[in-house]
Amino acid sequence: MNSSKVINCVVYRHGKRQEHVDIAEISEVLKEEKSFVWLGLNQPEADFMQTLQQEFNLHELAIEDALVAHQRPKIEQYGESVFIVAKTAHLNDQQRICFGETHFFLGKNFLITVRHGSAEGYAAIRAKAEKNQAMLCEGPGYAFYCLLDFIVDQYANITEALSERIAELEQGMFTTRFDSHALQGVYRLRRELLALRNAAMPVTEICAQLMRFHEDFIPKNLRAYLRDVQDHAHHVVVDSEDMREMLTSAMQVNLALVSVQQSEVNKKLAGWGAVLIVPTIVFSMYGMNFSDMPELKSHFGYPAVLVATFTICGVMWARFKKAGWL
């Protein structure tokens, strides 16, 4: 058994934090009235989870899911407990969205959190929850709310932090210069926002199911808190979709501007080509070695041809200039 995987294992009686409890004694503590166990784990091993299965009477399918990361956000009921998967998210130093997972086992008298790939722990959230002893008296539901609220708040912090970055990207897109690096950055950010949206959207359904079908875990006075989390998750979904639409529009505008600029260049090339085709034809004709050529024996033939050629070119240039091609 790897004790380093256990972040915290504490029993709460009447809403007050008591002593740390050994894993082997959990089953006895769970028999007590007005008490619950809050156990925090970080990427536990299979043997350790098998021990927890026996102590908490957990379902084997939930144990199997908790051992594997990259689960989709969901809520499933197994007997007298529910298994919940929520995606965690944070911005790294490069302002990229990094995702992790937290799996919850929520019962009438216990809460187990299993973290996968999450850089930040929940010690501060535990300390915040312990200050509200009145709510902790209701059981582990309030502790679960505090964790879920923190996860959703992290979503909202990301969308707020990315709003200025997206505004800068939009300004960079309003140019006639094609920048493949900028387009790659926009496309990558759109994918990250899609992943954030997909992480936040199931939270609304998780909250709805907990309030509707799991009164044993979520007392009535806690439902207003979960509705608040549900509302915040909904706002994250809307904000993510709006930002993706803004980035899509910016990409389309950039490609349109580049296309218009290329069209203008093509028009200028075509205009100059049309102007220069006249002297090209005339001079190439007079460069042929034939004895019978127009105006060869005329004294004013050469200047007349030059004047006619340049006059035609001038008229064509003026017409193309007026049409906006030159």
Side-chain angles (χ1 to χ4, degrees):
M1 184 183 303
N2 193 346
S3 59
S4 63
K5 302 296 182 179
V6 179
I7 306 303
N8 225 328
C9 184
V10 180
V11 59
Y12 295 83
R13 295 187 178 93
H14 300 281
K16 296 182 180 180
R17 179 187 176 114
Q18 302 297 317
E19 73 278 359
H20 288 265
V21 60
D22 187 77
I23 299 298
E25 301 175 356
I26 289 178
S27 57
E28 295 298 324
V29 176
L30 294 178
K31 298 177 182 179
E32 300 178 7
E33 296 290 336
K34 295 294 183 178
S35 66
F36 71 92
V37 175
W38 186 350
L39 171 62
L41 305 174
N42 183 24
Q43 298 181 187
E45 298 174 352
D47 294 341
F48 183 73
M49 292 301 294
Q50 294 296 329
T51 302
L52 291 185
Q53 179 182 359
Q54 298 175 2
E55 293 293 325
F56 288 95
N57 192 27
L58 302 175
H59 197 279
E60 58 181 353
L61 292 178
I63 294 294
E64 181 180 342
D65 287 344
L67 287 170
V68 182
H70 307 294
Q71 296 283 338
R72 61 177 180 83
K74 61 180 179 179
I75 176 172
E76 295 180 350
Q77 182 170 6
Y78 295 101
E80 297 182 354
S81 64
V82 292
F83 176 68
I84 301 168
V85 177
K87 290 283 187 180
T88 59
H90 69 279
L91 287 175
N92 62 12
D93 296 335
Q94 291 75 36
Q95 294 298 298
R96 298 281 299 274
I97 304 178
C98 298
F99 293 93
E101 294 178 21
T102 297
H103 302 171
F104 300 92
F105 293 90
L106 179 61
K108 295 179 181 180
N109 52 1
F110 65 86
L111 172 64
I112 305 173
T113 61
V114 183
R115 290 194 291 120
H116 290 279
S118 179
E120 189 172 1
Y122 298 133
I125 310 304
R126 183 187 288 264
K128 177 182 176 181
E130 289 172 351
K131 295 179 181 180
N132 196 337
Q133 296 181 4
M135 292 300 295
L136 282 180
C137 284
E138 301 289 341
Y142 179 72
F144 169 76
Y145 151 75
C146 291
L147 295 174
L148 191 63
D149 181 59
F150 171 76
I151 291 173
V152 174
D153 283 346
Q154 291 294 95
Y155 297 162
N157 292 339
I158 290 174
T159 56
E160 183 178 354
L162 290 180
S163 60
E164 296 182 1
R165 178 183 169 191
I166 290 175
E168 295 176 357
L169 287 173
E170 277 191 306
Q171 294 179 357
M173 290 288 100
F174 285 93
T175 177
T176 57
R177 180 174 56 87
F178 179 77
D179 190 345
S180 61
H181 180 72
L183 285 177
Q184 289 176 1
V186 170
Y187 181 75
R188 181 173 58 247
L189 183 56
R190 288 186 71 251
R191 291 187 60 184
E192 292 178 358
L193 285 171
L194 177 61
L196 182 64
R197 169 191 173 276
N198 292 339
M201 181 174 288
V203 174
T204 60
E205 180 61 26
I206 289 173
C207 293
Q209 289 196 33
L210 285 172
M211 291 184 292
R212 190 179 306 134
F213 303 117
H214 300 288
E215 297 181 0
D216 294 341
F217 312 133
I218 308 299
K220 290 184 178 180
N221 57 345
L222 188 58
R223 294 176 189 175
Y225 293 87
L226 278 184
R227 278 195 295 269
D228 183 64
V229 175
Q230 186 181 35
D231 183 62
H232 290 174
H234 176 71
H235 281 296
V236 171
V237 172
V238 174
D239 291 342
S240 299
E241 291 177 344
D242 290 345
M243 286 190 285
R244 291 187 75 246
E245 288 296 327
M246 292 169 60
L247 290 174
T248 301
S249 299
M251 291 175 63
Q252 292 175 347
V253 169
N254 177 254
L255 294 175
L257 290 174
V258 171
S259 178
V260 169
Q261 177 64 17
Q262 291 176 344
S263 177
E264 290 295 322
V265 172
N266 291 335
K267 286 165 60 178
K268 288 180 170 59
L269 292 176
W272 282 112
V275 171
L276 296 176
I277 195 66
V278 176
T280 300
I281 294 175
V282 174
F283 297 155
S284 64
M285 180 179 65
Y286 275 90
M288 292 185 285
N289 297 320
F290 293 103
S291 58
D292 297 328
M293 296 291 291
E295 307 297 339
L296 283 177
K297 297 179 181 180
S298 173
H299 182 71
F300 298 102
Y302 179 69
V305 169
L306 287 179
V307 171
T309 301
F310 288 121
T311 299
I312 295 173
C313 290
V315 171
M316 294 180 65
W317 179 86
R319 295 293 298 273
F320 283 126
K321 186 72 173 179
K322 185 177 180 180
W325 281 49
L326 294 175

